[in-house]
């Protein structure tokens, strides 16, 4: 059973930075792909960033150039470094895992195997 535990959310002013972390258990190296999603009230959950096969990365247009996804396989941890944050980045951020892994440019799947509990990110003007 895949379990994902997130940390690192918080409040920051526009232009600031935050880093989210997601520790995975029950995940065998290279058998799952992982990524970050976010959701605001009244809107559907949207894909933000993912790491695919051969460490390929893919970002939503809204965050490309400002967010960086990375993973430490030795620690089973996925990270999302968020820089130059904007008020419109305010959302609940979720870590997710799905299989099988694919090139990152394939994007985000309609169904995932597991979700983290969510981390709230609030960006003020």
């Amino acid at each position: 059973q895949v379990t994902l535990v997130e940390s690192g959310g918080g409040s920051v002013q526009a232009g600031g930075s935050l880093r989210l972390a997601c520790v995975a258990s029950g995940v065998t190296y290279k058998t799952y792909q992982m990524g970050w999603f976010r959701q605001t009230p009244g809107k559907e959950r949207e894909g933000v960033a993912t790491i695919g096969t051969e460490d390929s990365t893919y970002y939503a247009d809204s965050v490309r150039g400002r967010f960086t996804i990375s993973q430490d396989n030795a620690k089973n941890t996925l990270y999302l470094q968020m820089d130059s944050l904007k008020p419109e980045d305010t959302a609940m951020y979720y870590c997710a895992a799905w299989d099988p892994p694919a090139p990152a440019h394939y994007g985000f799947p309609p169904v995932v195997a597991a979700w983290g509990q969510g981390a709230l990110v609030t960006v003020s003007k």
Side-chain angles (χ1 to χ4, degrees), residues 102-119:
H105 70 269
Y106 284 18
F108 306 95
V111 177
V112 303
W115 292 103
Q117 82 281 9

Side-chain angles (χ1 to χ4, degrees), residues 2-81:
V2 178
T3 303
L4 305 173
V5 179
E6 304 170 27
S7 61
S11 298
V12 66
Q13 289 188 328
S17 298
L18 285 172
R19 189 176 79 157
L20 303 179
C22 172
V23 179
S25 59
V27 176
T28 304
Y29 179 57
K30 290 190 175 181
T31 62
Y32 280 86
Q33 183 169 343
M34 296 185 69
W36 292 96
F37 291 71
R38 68 185 181 185
Q39 188 171 25
T40 55
K43 293 188 178 181
E44 292 188 358
R45 198 169 295 187
E46 63 174 357
V48 174
T50 182
I51 292 183
T53 53
E54 300 183 2
D55 292 331
S56 56
T57 58
Y58 176 81
Y59 298 91
D61 290 343
S62 58
V63 306
R64 188 174 293 117
R66 300 186 297 118
F67 290 12
T68 304
I69 189 171
S70 62
Q71 59 187 15
D72 184 333
N73 293 316
K75 296 182 179 179
N76 282 345
T77 301
L78 182 73
Y79 300 99
L80 184 67
Q81 177 66 40

